[in-house]
């Protein structure tokens, strides 16, 4: 079956999906995106993804390309046309097409692209054997709370991780604290058995998975602390893990080739992964 993309009002074969050479997303990375997981045909945390998309757009003074109801219809239609029951929905909005010039052009229509891809998500929470992480300097801009398509530092960090045989790179601020992963949020378990992740501010992206994991943890009597942690603290923590839309909850078993805990995903990590899997495959966004 050939894939279909949605590009500015048209459903087109994926191989023929094109944007204009003067799309500002292409020329200036002047755009934002969302990635949502699809599980059993449902868009996980759909409302939260839509809210974050709108927030990112607002911060950049880009208009939402269409009203909520038609937007939700296009999301469903692209999933239907690509027969995605388990997979990923990708949404990108750029400021639009205009003659190349830095300031915002006037009277410009935002450009909207959506694609969908099937994926075989793991269904067994115990399938996680744990991931290796490396640390790299966080060289990004200071508005990481905006889910901008300007991802070059993230790409470089992820490639360095791959080159070193690791799954993810944890990004380090100037004070030796972990901000987040190149495409995930970073977590540890502290010595009191609380789960710890960096507080929300413009230095990190407010992950949708992060928010859901916090809610699931608290609902299940697990204490969550939102604060910074250093690489040293992570290395002496009993457990570490990462969260994202496409990684769900994954144990971090080593950082820079030094084992975290006993070098396997720990009990709280496995518990959170289990709770999150249950949430995705069962209760949907109704926590
Ligand atoms: N942080 C960064 C930099 C990301 O790119 C992502 C996801 O792509 C995340 C965190 C996790 O966000 P979410 O849980 O919404 O996928």
């Amino acid at each position: 079956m050939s894939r279909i993309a949605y590009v500015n009002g048209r459903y087109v074969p994926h191989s023929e999906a094109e944007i204009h050479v003067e799309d500002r997303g292409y020329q200036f990375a002047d755009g934002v995106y969302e990635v949502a997981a699809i599980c059993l045909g449902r868009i996980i945390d759909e409302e939260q993804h839509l809210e974050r998309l709108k927030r990112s757009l607002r911060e950049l003074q880009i208009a939402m390309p269409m009203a909520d109801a038609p937007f939700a219809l296009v999301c469903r239609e692209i999933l239907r046309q690509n027969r995605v029951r388990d997979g990923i929905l990708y949404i990108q909005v750029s400021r639009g097409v205009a003659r190349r010039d830095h300031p915002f052009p006037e009277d410009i229509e935002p450009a909207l692209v959506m694609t969908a891809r099937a994926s075989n998500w793991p269904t067994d929470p115990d399938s996680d054997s744990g991931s290796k992480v490396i640390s790299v300097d966080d060289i990004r801009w200071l508005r990481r709370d905006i889910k901008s398509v300007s991802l070059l530092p993230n790409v470089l960090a992820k490639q360095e991780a791959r080159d070193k045989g690791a799954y993810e790179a944890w990004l380090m601020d100037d004070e030796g604290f972990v901000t987040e992963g190149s495409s995930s949020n970073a977590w540890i378990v502290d010595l009191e058995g609380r789960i710890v992740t960096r507080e929300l501010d413009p230095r990190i992206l407010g992950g949708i998975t992060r928010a859901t994991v916090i809610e699931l943890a608290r609902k299940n009597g697990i204490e969550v602390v939102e604060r910074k942690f250093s690489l040293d603290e992570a290395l002496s923590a009993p457990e570490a893990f990462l969260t994202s839309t496409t990684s769900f909850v994954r144990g971090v078993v080593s950082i820079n080739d030094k084992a975290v805990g006993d070098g396997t995903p720990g009990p709280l990590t496995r518990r959170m992964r289990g709770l999150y899997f249950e949430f995705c495959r069962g209760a949907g966004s109704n926590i």
Side-chain angles (χ1 to χ4, degrees):
M1 194 200 77
S2 61
R3 289 178 67 199
I4 303 293
Y6 173 89
V7 185
N8 292 322
R10 297 195 311 133
Y11 294 92
V12 293
H14 193 269
S15 55
E16 292 165 26
E18 288 168 356
I19 52 135
H20 197 280
V21 288
E22 286 195 315
D23 185 290
R24 288 178 62 97
Y26 173 63
Q27 290 193 325
F28 294 110
D30 189 359
V32 302
Y33 73 107
E34 279 297 323
V35 180
I38 313 303
C39 285
L40 302 173
R42 279 179 305 106
I43 303 171
I44 301 302
D45 283 331
E46 180 175 9
E47 204 179 304
Q48 290 83 343
H49 282 285
L50 180 63
E51 279 315 307
R52 186 172 65 184
L53 176 67
K54 287 181 176 174
R55 179 182 181 278
S56 295
L57 289 170
R58 246 190 340 265
E59 292 297 313
L60 299 180
Q61 299 171 54
I62 299 175
M64 180 70 187
M66 58 175 78
D68 289 1
F71 189 83
L73 274 180
V74 177
C75 292
R76 274 154 190 74
E77 185 58 18
I78 200 74
L79 295 174
R80 192 189 67 76
Q81 291 202 21
N82 288 283
R83 296 195 201 151
V84 174
R85 200 173 125 81
D86 273 9
I88 291 167
L89 172 65
Y90 179 82
I91 302 165
Q92 180 169 330
V93 183
S94 81
R95 195 178 303 278
V97 177
R99 188 170 66 88
R100 189 181 182 284
D101 194 11
H102 286 63
F104 300 167
E106 278 172 23
D107 301 327
I108 188 174
E109 293 284 319
L112 172 62
V113 169
M114 282 194 209
T115 57
R117 194 177 69 207
S119 188
N120 286 325
W121 296 134
T123 50
D124 176 6
D126 293 328
S127 56
D128 179 28
S129 54
S131 301
K132 293 178 168 192
V133 159
I134 59 162
S135 65
V136 303
D137 287 344
D138 195 339
I139 58 168
R140 298 173 299 164
W141 72 328
L142 295 176
R143 288 304 308 275
R144 303 152 191 168
D145 55 317
I146 299 171
K147 199 163 167 64
S148 146
V149 292
S150 171
L151 290 171
L152 194 49
N154 309 57
V155 167
L156 295 177
K158 187 76 95 185
Q159 185 58 41
E160 192 173 330
R162 289 290 186 275
D163 290 344
K164 291 180 173 161
Y167 177 76
E168 179 59 301
W170 275 7
L171 310 177
M172 307 295 306
D173 71 14
D174 291 346
E175 290 160 348
F177 294 108
V178 177
T179 52
E180 59 185 333
S182 71
S183 63
S184 57
N185 288 110
W187 306 67
I188 57 169
V189 173
D190 73 9
L191 299 172
E192 279 76 45
R194 297 176 292 218
I195 61 178
V196 178
T197 194
R198 190 169 172 126
E199 71 278 7
L200 290 182
D201 70 12
R203 285 179 167 67
I204 66 165
L205 181 74
I208 304 296
T209 322
R210 174 189 180 282
T212 298
V213 164
I214 289 176
E215 207 169 331
L216 287 171
R218 290 192 172 139
K219 246 201 126 193
N220 285 277
I222 299 161
E223 212 180 316
V224 182
V225 184
E226 293 177 74
R227 66 162 172 85
K228 296 172 187 55
F229 59 85
S230 67
L231 202 62
D232 283 346
E233 185 180 1
L235 278 166
S236 54
E239 301 180 39
F241 60 96
L242 57 86
T243 59
S244 80
T245 294
T246 52
S247 293
F248 306 109
V249 176
R250 260 177 185 254
V252 167
V253 294
S254 73
I255 305 171
N256 297 333
D257 285 328
K258 293 182 196 113
V260 176
D262 68 1
T264 64
L268 255 180
T269 302
R270 283 187 276 121
R271 174 112 194 267
M272 291 320 305
R273 185 170 160 92
L275 288 171
Y276 191 74
F277 269 44
E278 228 171 74
F279 162 78
C280 289
R281 308 207 80 80
S285 53
N286 186 17
I287 295 178

